[in-house]
């Protein structure tokens, strides 16, 4: 039996954020059903009847639905979980028929894209662990068990950049050259640019010698983005608790941490089959597949390293694994320059034009994302997902001070909220962090309005493109039309950043369960706001907007019940004199005091009578419990 408190403060004037939050839930319920009707068939598959001619594409099918079970976990309908599971099964059959999967898993592709594919799967495991545990462990065994051909335990490496369920799938591409579109060549250039004679023009027709060199130098051995596979193994650990998964994460991520330490703290991006960094690249610590030089640099390497570091800490309790990320992050920042985005050599223009808006002309801090023989290049504004994830996990003053330094170096206003939706369904970390710092009080209302704008924009886009033929080149259409938006709800209700998109598991300071329905998520009519996430004073407001029905909420400390709620201070209104007498023309101001309750566990039950509210100030001990997918109804 979990400790119980009962809300007693009357709800007289609902705050705008609470009304807007419940309106967003209602709009999202309509939107996902509309998408399902317009873009999927009666078998649950996406309306696509062409073939796939390259190794790319699996992620685009799964990414379409990636945050649907996340919305269920936040408080979406029971139907949404059923739909999410149905579409995963349907798309898996569809991709198997297209030759892309073996035994329900990617035959062999890089982990930048595998991580994107698996977000849907991870949220399904989180939402319905009993139904997904077998698959989760089967998939993790592809990497933990060397018999599958992916892992070399002697050198502690994943054997090749393209890996998965088909041990015979070798190389980086099928055919004579890497399937690189001309526009991608212009944005990112080509790998191994130092192996060809100066002045070689690859933009129109890639030099065949480059393909041979890619096969020889980049298609074998380990690469930094493979670190995202630690998320797959952590998912299996959360479901099973098996020591073999814990050991694999510690050994594999630990090997990369040693390589980073030997490289001055900067994680290298390649390891030859014999276990040597740069063994196929004349000693270069950079130049590997999806590494520092090509195509994305810190954008891909940093995300994979953060996923791995957080997984290793969750598996072992050893906080020093965060050193896999921090030195490289700080190194990138030391090379920062203040300039307008329009003056930078950024290769990610579509992202930043939307995120910065008019501030593309404002001088602000830019950091280099890539490194090659010529040094640091590809300057962009700092992607705040990584420093935010580090601080959210650690709550260390040094990680918050880094965020403050980044803000002080920026010329654009961190309080600005723009109604854009990136591929990651993230990018509003700066105004959220300003809100948590007490410097952006209207953020909840503005981010909820921006979320509504995103949904309504995508509903219009759906109307324009529904029913049309989707070519292989346009399979991103589904992602661009997916109207489910969750970033605002994750930040405001869970007090967490949006999940690291290329294979991370969710971070949250708190989560919720509907105690009456015995399922995850906020109950109907209940709104939540986390306005502070310090361990000693994590502040949560819960409001029951229903004028008739009572609700019951279980508050969980952490995404995986990994924290302990030592005690809670909560608002109380014991005097009913605020109602006044029969002939009073109005009400008096309720007299609100506070009380304290010991909890000493990961769960607290809050009873919410009709039209009531309560503010909880949780005193937490972070990460003192084994993370798992267990629920409060199992104890």
């Amino acid at each position: 039996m979990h400790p119980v408190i009962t809300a007693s403060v009357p709800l007289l004037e609902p705050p705008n954020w609470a009304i807007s939050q419940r309106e967003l839930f209602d709009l999202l319920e309509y939107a996902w059903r509309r998408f399902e009707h317009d873009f999927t068939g009666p078998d649950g598959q996406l309306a696509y009847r062409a073939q796939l001619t390259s190794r790319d594409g699996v992620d685009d099918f799964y990414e379409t639905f990636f945050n649907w079970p996340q919305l269920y976990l936040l408080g979406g309908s029971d139907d949404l979980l059923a739909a999410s599971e149905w579409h995963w099964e349907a798309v898996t059959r569809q991709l198997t028929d297209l030759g892309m999967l073996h035994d329900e898993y990617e035959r062999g592709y890089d982990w930048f894209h595998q991580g994107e594919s698996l977000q849907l799967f991870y949220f399904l495991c989180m939402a319905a662990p009993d139904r997904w545990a077998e698959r989760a462990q089967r998939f993790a065994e592809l990497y933990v068990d060397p018999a599958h051909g992916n892992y070399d335990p002697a050198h502690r490496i994943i054997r090749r950049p393209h890996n998965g369920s088909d041990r015979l799938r070798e190389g980086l591409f099928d055919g004579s050259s890497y399937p690189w579109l001309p526009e991608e060549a212009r944005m990112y250039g080509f790998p191994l640019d130092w192996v060809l004679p100066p002045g070689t023009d690859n933009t129109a027709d890639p030099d065949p010698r480059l393909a041979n060199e890619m096969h020889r130098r980049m298609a074998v051995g380990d690469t930094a983005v493979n670190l995202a596979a630690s998320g797959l193994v952590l998912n299996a650990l959360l479901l099973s608790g098996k020591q073999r998964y814990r050991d694999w994460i510690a050994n594999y991520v630990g090997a990369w941490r040693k390589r980073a330490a030997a490289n001055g703290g900067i994680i290298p991006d390649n390891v030859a089959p014999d276990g040597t960094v740069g063994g196929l690249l004349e000693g270069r610590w950079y130049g590997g597949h999806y590494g520092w030089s090509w195509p994305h640099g810190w954008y891909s390497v940093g995300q994979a390293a953060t996923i791995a570091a957080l997984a290793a800490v969750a598996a072992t309790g050893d906080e020093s694994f965060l050193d896999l990320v921090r030195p490289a992050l700080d190194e990138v920042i030391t090379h920062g320059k203040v300039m307008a985005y329009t003056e930078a050599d950024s290769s990610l223009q579509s992202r930043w034009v939307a995120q910065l808006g008019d501030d593309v002309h404002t001088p602000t801090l830019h950091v280099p994302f890539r490194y090659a023989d010529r040094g640091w290049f590809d300057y962009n504004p700092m992607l705040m997902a990584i420093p935010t994830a580090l601080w959210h996990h650690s709550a260390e003053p040094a990680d918050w001070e880094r965020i403050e330094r980044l803000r002080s170096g920026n010329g654009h206003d961190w309080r600005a909220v723009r109604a854009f939706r990136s591929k990651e369904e993230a990018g509003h970390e700066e105004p959220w962090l300003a809100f948590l710092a007490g410097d952006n009080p209207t953020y909840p209302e503005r981010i909820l309005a921006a979320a509504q704008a995103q949904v309504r924009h995508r509903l219009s886009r759906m109307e324009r493109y529904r029913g049309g033929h989707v070519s292989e080149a346009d399979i991103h259409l589904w992602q661009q039309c997916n109207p489910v938006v969750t970033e605002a709800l994750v930040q405001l209700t869970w007090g967490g950043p949006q999940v690291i998109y290329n294979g991370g598991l969710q971070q949250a300071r708190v989560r919720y369960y509907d105690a009456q329905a015995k399922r995850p998520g906020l109950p109907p009519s209940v709104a939540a706001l986390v306005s502070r996430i310090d361990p000693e004073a994590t502040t949560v407001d819960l409001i029951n907007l229903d004028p008739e029905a009572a609700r019951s909420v279980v508050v969980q400390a952490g995404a995986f019940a990994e924290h302990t709620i030592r005690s809670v201070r909560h608002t109380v209104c014991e005097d009913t004199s605020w109602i006044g007498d029969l002939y009073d023309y109005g009400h008096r101001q309720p007299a609100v005091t506070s009380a304290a309750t010991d909890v000493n566990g990961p769960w607290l039950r809050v009873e919410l009578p009709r039209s009531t509210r309560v503010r909880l100030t949780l005193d937490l001990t972070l990460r003192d419990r084994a993370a798992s997918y267990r629920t409060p109804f199992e104890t």
Side-chain angles (χ1 to χ4, degrees), residues 176-177 180 182 185 190 196 200-210:
S176 61
S177 64
W180 210 228
F190 285 85
L196 297 178
T200 302
D201 181 11
N202 282 301
T203 56
D205 188 13
D207 191 305
R209 292 174 296 179
L210 184 59

Side-chain angles (χ1 to χ4, degrees), residues 221-440:
D222 209 350
T223 187
V225 293
N226 281 339
L227 277 163
S230 58
L232 182 69
V233 181
L234 176 62
N235 183 59
L237 174 62
L238 294 174
L239 285 160
S240 69
K242 291 181 179 178
Q243 185 67 34
R244 63 187 281 101
Y245 300 138
R246 184 175 288 108
D247 291 344
W248 188 91
I249 293 170
N251 287 327
Y252 181 59
V253 181
W256 275 101
R257 182 174 61 169
K258 288 183 178 180
R259 294 173 193 131
N263 193 45
I266 304 176
I267 182 172
D269 67 20
N270 69 95
V271 184
D274 65 359
T276 60
V277 171
L280 295 175
L281 300 177
E282 281 84 33
R284 290 172 174 82
W285 55 268
Y286 52 89
H289 188 50
Y290 270 83
W292 281 105
S293 303
W294 174 86
H296 299 307
W298 178 246
Y299 177 57
S300 48
V301 173
Q303 288 194 93
T306 305
I307 290 164
L310 294 176
V313 174
T316 68
D318 183 354
E319 294 288 324
S320 69
F321 274 103
L322 296 181
D323 290 340
L324 185 67
V325 181
R326 285 178 175 137
L329 172 61
D330 290 334
E331 177 70 16
V332 165
I333 294 171
T334 63
H335 294 279
K337 300 177 182 178
V338 175
M339 67 181 83
Y341 180 74
T342 51
E343 300 170 3
D345 63 338
S346 169
S347 63
L348 298 171
Q349 293 193 19
S350 60
R351 176 194 182 93
W352 292 113
V353 167
Q355 186 162 337
L356 291 173
D358 292 340
D359 280 329
V360 292
H361 305 290
T362 302
T364 194
L365 180 67
H366 288 65
V367 300
F369 278 19
R370 294 199 278 167
Y371 188 89
D373 284 359
R374 63 184 183 274
W376 292 102
F377 68 106
D378 199 348
Y379 277 77
N380 297 267
M382 172 57 74
L383 283 168
M384 289 304 299
I386 292 173
T388 300
L390 289 174
W391 165 73
H392 186 275
H393 167 85
S394 74
E396 291 289 340
D399 287 326
W400 181 255
E401 288 166 7
R402 181 189 296 108
I403 289 172
E404 290 184 325
R405 289 198 307 273
L406 289 169
R407 184 178 184 183
S408 65
N410 279 179
H412 65 278
D413 188 355
W414 272 29
R415 295 170 297 183
V417 177
R418 294 186 174 90
F420 70 91
R421 185 186 190 279
S422 68
K423 179 178 181 178
E424 297 92 342
E425 222 272 275
H428 293 92
E429 293 87 0
E430 291 96 328
W432 178 55
L433 291 167
F435 166 67
L436 293 175
D439 188 33
N440 200 9

Side-chain angles (χ1 to χ4, degrees), residues 105 111 136-154 156-159 163-164 229-237 240 242-252:
Y105 194 84
W111 263 93
Q137 294 178 73
R138 174 158 51 88
F139 294 168
E141 287 297 326
L142 292 171
Y143 295 88
V144 175
D145 184 352
H148 291 285
N150 287 313
Y151 188 60
D152 175 359
R156 294 198 287 176
I157 62 170
I158 292 176
R159 294 178 182 273
N163 49 76
S230 58
L232 182 69
V233 181
L234 176 62
N235 183 59
L237 174 62
S240 69
K242 291 181 179 178
Q243 185 67 34
R244 63 187 281 101
Y245 300 138
R246 184 175 288 108
D247 291 344
W248 188 91
I249 293 170
N251 287 327
Y252 181 59

Side-chain angles (χ1 to χ4, degrees), residues 176-193:
S176 61
S177 64
Y178 195 90
W180 210 228
L181 298 175
E183 62 185 84
E184 293 172 318
R186 286 192 295 272
M187 284 190 295
Y188 307 120
F190 285 85
L192 307 177
D193 54 9

Side-chain angles (χ1 to χ4, degrees), residues 91-105:
V91 163
T92 299
R93 291 193 304 271
Q94 188 172 16
L95 288 167
T96 300
D97 291 342
L98 289 168
M100 306 298 287
L101 307 182
H102 174 68
D103 288 342
E104 300 185 313
Y105 194 84

